[in-house]
Amino acid sequence: MSEFPKSVLISGGSGDGKSTSLMNLRGQEGVLYLNCEGGKPLPFKNKFKRITINDPLEIFSILDQVNADTSGRYHTIIIDTVSFMMNRFESVHVIGSANTMAMWGEYGQFFPTLMYDYVAKSNCFVIMLGHLESLTNEETGRTEYTVPVKGALKKNGLEAYFTTVINARKLSIKDIDKDAEEGSMLKITDRERDLGFKHVFQTRTVKATVGDRVRSPLGLFADNEAYIDNDAQIVIDQLTKYYAD
């Protein structure tokens, strides 16, 4: 069983850099990439072990095998994306079922079972990517940002099952230039300055996103690290260092 929480949710809109954030993962032969988007290729060359998931229940048996393997073959597991995974569960198991109500119950239990019985027991880092949507809370009138899900899971959201939730965002250089301090985790290249924008990770809630569900263990990122480079390896390194101290 993992000695500290190693599950990370990286959420963002289309084109915000969720997939490219995986590009710098070290030891790529030890990365198990579970593709829930019909085999859609990643936008960069890689040496990941890639498996296309047709039925989300297949993930249980795959993680059983990984968790039982004492050789340490894999150090990181990626599920891309959790949004399509849940949509696929609905398509395969709910729609057309002879007992739709019962299968919606199965839908509601699938994700908690995945997190508690499989992810929590893994010694691997488990990174899930999720499509982020905005909606207006009718009670507060506030814009909220969440990975959409249906049924009973919708109330608390998938984010509630993670201790670390990062948002991938595409921001103007002028809006983040002040955060690129000497020695910080945010570095702006000459190419990014020429383009006028940068793909970043948002590590905590900021004024413009008070309705988001970004979270991380207290002190994982400094106050001036609201934005860091779009790099999943940085997050893994931070978590490893944080729990080692």
Side-chain angles (χ1 to χ4, degrees):
M1 183 178 294
S2 174
E3 67 274 20
F4 62 85
K6 294 182 176 180
S7 59
V8 178
L9 176 62
I10 298 174
S11 53
S14 178
D16 279 341
K18 297 185 298 298
S19 296
T20 54
S21 74
L22 308 172
M23 187 166 57
N24 293 330
L25 288 175
R26 294 191 291 268
Q28 291 193 356
E29 295 85 351
V31 175
L32 179 60
Y33 177 77
L34 305 182
N35 189 318
C36 298
E37 297 199 349
K40 178 182 176 181
L42 285 164
F44 57 89
K45 290 183 178 180
N46 63 85
K47 296 181 180 179
F48 299 161
K49 170 61 177 177
R50 300 181 294 274
I51 299 177
T52 298
I53 302 298
N54 296 309
D55 180 346
L57 292 178
E58 297 169 359
I59 297 175
F60 289 166
S61 59
I62 291 171
L63 294 190
D64 269 335
Q65 294 176 45
V66 174
N67 291 346
D69 184 358
T70 58
S71 70
R73 177 182 179 186
Y74 297 113
H75 55 76
T76 303
I77 300 167
I78 298 166
I79 297 179
D80 183 10
T81 60
V82 64
S83 311
F84 273 81
M85 179 183 72
M86 297 307 295
N87 288 344
R88 187 63 180 162
F89 189 100
E90 180 183 357
S91 298
V92 173
H93 297 287
V94 179
I95 296 174
S97 171
N99 189 339
T100 304
M101 183 177 295
M103 291 314 300
W104 273 118
E106 293 291 329
Y107 172 97
Q109 287 302 311
F110 168 74
F111 194 76
T113 299
L114 173 64
M115 295 301 291
Y116 293 139
D117 294 345
Y118 295 89
V119 172
K121 295 178 180 179
S122 179
N123 285 318
C124 297
F125 277 95
V126 180
I127 299 173
M128 299 191 193
L129 308 185
H131 291 282
L132 194 65
E133 289 189 359
S134 61
L135 54 89
T136 301
N137 185 310
E138 296 180 356
E139 295 182 2
T140 64
R142 186 176 64 183
T143 300
E144 298 181 349
Y145 304 87
T146 184
V147 175
V149 68
K150 297 180 180 179
L153 289 170
K154 184 176 182 179
K155 182 177 181 180
N156 293 322
L158 300 183
E159 295 89 347
Y161 293 88
F162 296 85
T163 55
T164 303
V165 179
I166 303 289
N167 279 359
R169 301 187 64 193
K170 179 180 176 182
L171 296 179
S172 168
I173 295 299
K174 63 181 179 61
D175 290 334
I176 58 173
D177 206 8
K178 64 182 184 302
D179 298 303
E181 301 173 353
E182 183 75 25
S184 74
M185 294 186 217
L186 182 68
K187 298 174 178 61
I188 302 174
T189 66
D190 291 340
R191 181 175 183 273
E192 289 165 341
R193 290 191 183 280
D194 289 340
L195 291 171
F197 68 84
K198 178 181 176 66
H199 291 103
V200 301
F201 277 163
Q202 179 188 338
T203 67
R204 62 176 173 82
T205 298
V206 296
K207 184 177 180 180
T209 63
V210 291
D212 66 34
R213 297 182 178 182
V214 175
R215 64 165 63 89
S216 63
L218 186 63
L220 182 65
F221 297 103
D223 289 345
N224 64 344
E225 293 171 344
Y227 301 114
I228 65 173
D229 283 353
N230 178 289
D231 189 339
Q233 187 62 55
I234 291 178
V235 178
I236 289 176
D237 290 345
Q238 278 296 105
L239 285 167
T240 302
K241 179 182 176 182
Y242 179 86
Y243 285 102
D245 291 342

